[in-house]
Amino acid sequence: MSHGSSSLVSGMNASTKAALEFGRTHVVRPKGRHQATIVWLHGLGDNGASWSQLLETLPLPNIKWICPTAPARPVSIFGGFPSTAWFDVGDLSEDGPADVEGMDASAAHVEKLLSTEPADIKLGVGGFSMGAATALYSASCSAHGRYGNGNPYTVNLSAVVGLSGWLPCSRSLKNKIQGSEEAARRAASLPLLLCHGKGDDVVLYKHGERSAEALKSNGFQNLTFKSYSRLAHYTIPEEMDDVCNWLKVSLMLDGVSS
C-alpha cells in the first residue's frame, strides 16, 4: 500500500537553483493494534518501495511503517551524478564533510511524516546505510531539541535503528548534548540499535563502530551495537530478527512482557 508524497526543500548550495522534491512514500499498515509508527529510510540510490516490501514481511503487526523516497540530487561521491540521496555526501564515514542543510531537510521530512500520527503512538526512525546516517542525525536533533540550523525539533522519538550506517556530524555532537541538561537527559533515555557487518566494503565496519562509540561517549547510554562477522553491505534474516526482537522490547509492543 502506498500513496504519493512530495515535499519541496531547498537545494544544497547556491549553485543548486532548483528545489529538490521528495519521491513517493510507501506505507505499510499495521496488521494488529497500532502501537508504533516508524519512518524507514533507504540507502543511496534506492527508493522507499524496496524496503516497504521487506518490512511488510516482518512479524511486527503493531508497527506502521512509512517508507519515503529521497530526492534525486547531484551526489559528490558519484562525481556530481544525480541519485536519490537524503543529503550530499563525499565520504561514507563519521569524519566526512557534512551537508547540514541537506540533512536538516531530510530530518524535517521525517518529522513531518511522524507529526500527524496519533498522540498515543510511539514514534521511531530507522534506515539502511545513508538512511541509517539520516536516522542517527535525526536522533541527535531529537536529543538536542534543534536541527543543525537552530530550528526546533519537536517530535519525541522512542526508538532509532541504524543498519550499515554512520553518524554524520559526530564531531559537533558533544557541544549539542553536553551543553544542556535536558539534551543529556533525552540522549540518555533514547533507545538506539546499531547493526553492522564486519565484511562491509561500502560503509566500513570501523565507521559503524566509531559512530556507536561517539554516541555512547556523548551520553547515548541506551545504545545496543551488534556486529555480524561475514555480513557485507546488505541485510540478512539474522539481522532483521535482531531488529524485530529489539523493537518489540524497546517499544513494549503487544505480546512482550515488561
Side-chain angles (χ1 to χ4, degrees):
M1 183 178 293
S2 66
H3 65 268
S5 172
S6 65
S7 173
L8 295 178
V9 298
S10 59
M12 296 168 293
N13 51 50
S15 64
T16 308
K17 299 292 186 185
L20 299 173
E21 186 172 343
F22 287 91
R24 191 173 187 181
T25 295
H26 297 258
V27 177
V28 178
R29 306 282 175 192
K31 299 174 180 70
R33 184 167 73 94
H34 183 197
Q35 294 178 280
T37 296
I38 297 176
V39 172
W40 190 270
L41 305 169
H42 62 75
L44 179 61
D46 202 358
N47 58 65
S50 61
W51 274 98
S52 70
Q53 292 163 13
L54 171 62
L55 296 170
E56 193 163 19
T57 68
L58 299 182
L60 294 169
N62 307 111
I63 294 180
K64 172 184 174 182
W65 300 95
I66 303 177
C67 303
T69 299
R73 69 175 79 211
V75 178
S76 295
I77 202 170
F78 293 155
F81 191 80
S83 179
T84 52
W86 299 110
F87 51 92
D88 186 31
V89 62
D91 180 16
L92 304 180
S93 80
E94 78 285 357
D95 292 324
D99 171 23
V100 175
E101 185 180 352
M103 287 186 286
D104 277 349
S106 291
H109 191 58
V110 171
E111 183 183 20
K112 178 184 174 185
L113 291 169
L114 291 172
S115 64
T116 56
E117 292 300 293
D120 61 338
I121 299 301
K122 292 180 178 176
L123 307 176
V125 60
F128 175 80
S129 191
M130 175 182 267
T134 307
L136 294 179
Y137 182 76
S138 297
S140 69
C141 292
S142 178
H144 181 47
R146 298 191 177 279
Y147 292 95
N149 60 15
N151 291 340
Y153 187 98
T154 59
V155 164
N156 181 32
L157 297 176
S158 296
V160 179
V161 179
L163 310 182
S164 307
W166 72 95
L167 171 68
C169 305
S170 64
R171 285 168 291 192
S172 64
L173 190 61
K174 182 177 181 179
N175 292 337
K176 288 181 180 178
I177 305 304
Q178 297 185 8
S180 159
E181 285 186 18
E182 183 68 13
R185 183 191 63 77
R186 284 194 294 259
S189 63
L190 179 58
L192 291 95
L193 172 65
L194 273 62
C195 302
H196 217 107
K198 291 188 175 179
D200 196 329
D201 59 352
V202 178
V203 180
L204 299 182
Y205 175 79
K206 66 179 181 180
H207 297 309
E209 193 174 41
R210 286 174 186 169
S211 294
E213 290 168 356
L215 286 161
K216 275 197 170 179
S217 66
N218 285 292
F220 289 85
Q221 296 303 315
N222 194 0
L223 184 150
T224 301
F225 181 75
K226 288 186 171 290
S227 60
Y228 303 84
S229 57
R230 290 178 294 277
L231 179 62
H233 198 65
Y234 48 80
T235 188
I236 52 174
E238 178 191 353
E239 183 181 41
M240 296 314 297
D241 286 346
D242 288 339
V243 170
C244 289
N245 293 331
W246 184 85
L247 284 172
K248 287 174 185 174
V249 173
S250 297
L251 296 171
M252 294 180 287
L253 302 178
D254 284 351
V256 179
S257 56
S258 56

